[in-house]
Amino acid sequence: MSQYFNVGDETLWNPSNGAARLFLRHVAVYEVELGTPSGVSEMINDECQIDTGAYERFVNALVEWHHGTRHRIIHTLARGFVVTALALANRAGAEVRFPDAGADGGPEGRADVQVPAPAHRHSEWEEHLREQAAAVERAMPR
């Protein structure tokens, strides 16, 4: 059995039930964490619809949040979902905006900071996420 993530009549992703269930549970976690609706509907009859505008806003908020964390454990826990969300955003034709390299800033205003903060080189971070998302996208059945 599998489930379908669609935009209108187009299937973007047709994962197994287990992968779909985990992805949707992560979506719910990050909607709360970010305070941003994802645009991913609930699964009904093995199908859910994605509102591309809302999903684009969600993924951009997710990428900005991921970029802003300086906590190694939080960063590691989130990476797999961030990469999968990016891959699906690519399929949906969403415009993902990565934060500017100068947006790294310091720990001011951050709720979760690891001391000492791990090194974070923006260009490598963005490139690595894009490469991982492309690899995940190639592995996503339609």
Side-chain angles (χ1 to χ4, degrees):
M1 301 250 343
S2 60
Q3 302 191 324
Y4 298 85
F5 290 82
N6 300 327
V7 171
D9 292 334
E10 180 186 359
T11 297
L12 300 181
W13 185 28
N14 178 224
S16 69
N17 289 346
R21 186 176 55 252
L22 286 173
F23 180 77
L24 288 172
R25 287 181 177 161
H26 278 84
V27 165
V29 165
Y30 287 98
E31 283 179 323
V32 172
E33 185 69 26
L34 301 171
T36 304
S38 66
V40 178
S41 74
E42 67 179 285
M43 191 66 67
I44 299 173
N45 296 326
D46 296 329
E47 293 184 4
C48 78
Q49 287 292 320
I50 297 174
D51 174 323
T52 54
Y55 190 68
E56 181 176 291
R57 288 186 294 278
F58 175 75
V59 171
N60 278 299
L62 181 66
V63 167
E64 185 176 330
W65 171 85
H66 190 258
H67 177 263
T69 187
R70 289 295 182 270
H71 195 287
R72 187 175 311 270
I73 303 303
I74 293 173
H75 208 257
T76 300
L77 286 168
R79 182 175 289 276
F81 176 70
V82 171
V83 167
T84 305
L86 280 170
L88 192 57
N90 290 340
R91 287 243 174 117
E95 181 184 339
V96 178
R97 295 174 305 278
F98 283 82
D100 293 333
D104 285 344
E108 298 79 25
R110 299 181 197 273
D112 293 300
V113 179
Q114 183 173 325
V115 179
H120 186 85
R121 292 180 49 197
H122 181 274
S123 61
E124 290 176 5
W125 170 82
E126 180 179 341
E127 181 180 336
H128 190 65
L129 279 182
R130 287 186 187 276
E131 287 173 359
Q132 286 183 317
V136 166
E137 186 178 355
R138 287 190 297 273
M140 292 174 119
R142 286 188 187 239

